[in-house]
Amino acid sequence: MRVQNTLDIAFIAGITFALLLGEKVVYLVLVAGIIPIPFLLKNNIRLKMKASKYRIIIPSTIYFGYNLLTYFFFTGLEPEKQRPVNPDLELYVIGIAILVASIVRGLLTKDLAQRFALVTPWALLASFLFLGALFTTHLPIEGCVRVQGAAAWPFIPALIFTTLSMLSLTGWREMSIRQRNLRLLVVSLSIVVVTILTASRGIAIAQVIALGCFLIFGSIPKFRSSMPSWRQLGSAIALGILLATSIGLSTGCGMRMISVFSVIPLLKPAATEAVTSSPVLPAGMKENPRGQDFDVQEIKKKDLSAGERFEMWETAIDAIRQAPLFGHGSLYLQPLITERYGYQHNHNQYLSWLVMGGVISLVIGLVFLSIPWLISAGLSIPDRITITLSVSVFWGMAMMFDSYFNLKFYTHYYCFLVGIIYVIVNDILVKRDNIENRA
């Protein structure tokens, strides 16, 4: 029993420590999560299920089934073309395997909901201290850095830290004052992680929108006891901004966040003129003489990253206009984006879906993104809203600037997380049913 408890806690902690380890968290998940499954099954033959399995099976099956179908039969690539790294078969197959494994392992974890609520805030606090140590260690040597730990990109700690900090607010009504304060502190620290430690601008915009939604719901009288009030959350946000500003001023970091404001005055339609300098277009795509929507070259001078995004978005929009319903094919981003700009995706998930599979792919993708709302049926409305804002809304806004579901780590982590959320919901519903039966 003691060994199982240790493995369970390590497995739950791995959900958070993925923000530090990136893909390397697989080793922890294998040892604490996957390998013990056959041994744990012997003692857990009767698993109670109260959460509807169809709410996760149906949207997942449609999403992965459609993507696998188009991957083999509607690629949009010429026969002699080499297939890209992303998306590839591994993206979808491993995603399915992780979703199934996370559900099975979650069901075999004793008191998953309670342990997740206990472990996650402290794991986030430990992660923040580690990221902060990396930041201060490298600062004197390299100047301002975007910490990422062992993860591939600084977006990973920013996205996961913020997701879990907001998700930890689930079950607010039953929390003690100390538990609530700890979670509000973690929300404050998430602002520092996003704006200073990782300087992730797209995620910062998504964070503002998600926390803004929390503030709105927290101001509704009937939700005040079940979600942080606007005063409580507002105080946490103010503390986070104060900490981020103080660190930014004392270290000189944070300029990357400020530089985005230099682009705003340039976001106006450019003079209409024929585009004559664009590279050779992919086969089947016609030249569009309408001119650029924005002065991309001027934006590039102010902010190269933002300028490149606008340029890729315009190219994607031109392609979408020519095949709006079914798109150009599941791998068409390779000739459209990769071969022209050098990126694996066009830094906007919605444009990626529309380019690859048109409106049909977009609708299927949005349903897949909405799984947290679907699987949380049966919980109180405030808890369902908290889960949905933390994952679907936050990730959905962040994917305005990156195509996360075209990349392995993000897709796989999302599958892992929604599998765990499904089991947490089931755990809560089973316990509630047991209490009602005893009463």
Side-chain angles (χ1 to χ4, degrees), residues 327-345:
H328 293 273
S330 62
L331 306 179
Y332 191 71
L333 286 178
Q334 175 165 296
L336 184 71
I337 300 297
T338 306
E339 294 176 7
R340 300 176 71 188
Y341 303 105
Y343 294 99
Q344 294 180 7
H345 57 93

Side-chain angles (χ1 to χ4, degrees), residues 172 217-229 381-382 385:
W172 185 262
F217 283 108
S219 65
I220 299 175
K222 66 178 181 179
F223 289 166
R224 285 177 184 171
S225 62
S226 302
M227 298 180 70
S229 69
I381 292 298
I385 290 173

Side-chain angles (χ1 to χ4, degrees), residues 305-367:
S305 176
E308 288 178 329
R309 276 175 165 81
F310 277 103
E311 193 169 0
M312 288 186 287
W313 293 350
E314 286 196 324
T315 299
I317 291 171
D318 288 342
I320 292 165
R321 286 192 175 102
Q322 298 182 28
L325 185 58
F326 296 103
H328 293 273
S330 62
L331 306 179
Y332 191 71
L333 286 178
Q334 175 165 296
L336 184 71
I337 300 297
T338 306
E339 294 176 7
R340 300 176 71 188
Y341 303 105
Y343 294 99
Q344 294 180 7
H345 57 93
N346 62 358
H347 290 76
N348 184 301
Q349 185 63 62
Y350 308 103
L351 294 180
S352 294
W353 279 331
L354 287 167
V355 167
M356 297 186 297
V359 174
I360 294 176
S361 181
L362 175 64
V363 171
I364 292 174
L366 289 174
V367 172

Side-chain angles (χ1 to χ4, degrees), residues 96-109:
I96 295 170
I98 287 176
L99 180 61
V100 173
S102 65
I103 293 174
V104 173
R105 183 61 177 88
L107 290 170
L108 297 175
T109 302

